[in-house]
Amino acid sequence: MKLIAAEDTRRTGRLLSHIGVGTPLTALHEHNESDAVSGLLERLAAGESLALVCDAGTPLISDPGYRLVAAARERGVTVTPVPGPSALTAALSVAGLPTDRFCFEGFLPPKSAARRAALEALAHETRTLVFYEAVHRIRATIDDLAEAFGGERPAFIGRELTKLHEQLANGTLAELAARLHAGDIPEKGEFVVIVHGGAPAGAGLDADALARELAAVLPMRQAAAVTAKLAGGRANEIYRRLLDKK
């Protein structure tokens, strides 16, 4: 290995020193990645081997490296994964929430209005939701999650996973929000938030009753189409049931 590209050369340098590795380091982070890629590709093209590491997780999973990996693969350079720590999978493994189907949303928008809009769009996502969040936004994000999804939605907060001050907290969104405001979950470190999936849009609506109400003021095919959109189901089947009731 000729070179190690690291998100923070100081942190990685301490680790390498501890294990007795003297490989040269170069910085690769979100602020310099665009400029650094061309030089790294030149070294790879010259036959050198390069390792990519990040501070506290897996490269490209809400961490730098996408531009370099994409450019290397376009050039035909072999890119090989080395399994390592990932807050995403670590949190899912201990959260006690469904893991058969989940979606990773990464970091939500930092500004409140945009964050709330993003959460409203996810309110009826049925898969388990996984978010990363920064320490200075964790309280506001949990408050917004409780407002958008309902305070009774089961959730999990993982703080400083696999580190000295690791904390794992389960509860409803309302309970977790209260613990954050009370200081029981300190606003320190890095956070993973996992939220139970919601009910699909229209869950609980009586499709046939809705279709009959709409058919009183709309053509039956249009009433069936609107019902299918709001309550779920196939428009043709709802239309057929309307005809049977007529």
Side-chain angles (χ1 to χ4, degrees), residues 126-213:
T126 59
R127 295 171 293 178
T128 296
L129 292 149
V130 186
F131 305 95
Y132 287 169
E133 193 49 277
V135 59
H136 56 284
R137 290 194 298 267
I138 184 63
R139 192 192 307 184
T141 292
I142 297 298
D143 287 345
D144 287 344
L145 279 162
E147 182 177 344
F149 294 173
E152 294 306 308
R153 184 85 71 91
F156 164 89
I157 290 177
R159 186 177 71 85
E160 291 289 270
L161 290 175
T162 76
K163 300 177 185 176
L164 179 62
H165 300 292
E166 176 181 276
Q167 183 178 15
L168 311 176
N170 283 83
T172 65
L173 284 169
E175 290 168 345
L176 293 174
R179 291 182 66 181
L180 277 162
H181 283 273
D184 183 43
I185 301 175
E187 293 177 64
K188 296 178 180 179
E190 298 178 325
F191 291 82
V192 183
V193 179
I194 302 182
V195 184
H196 197 292
L205 288 176
D206 185 327
D208 288 341
L210 177 61
R212 288 195 297 272
E213 291 293 327

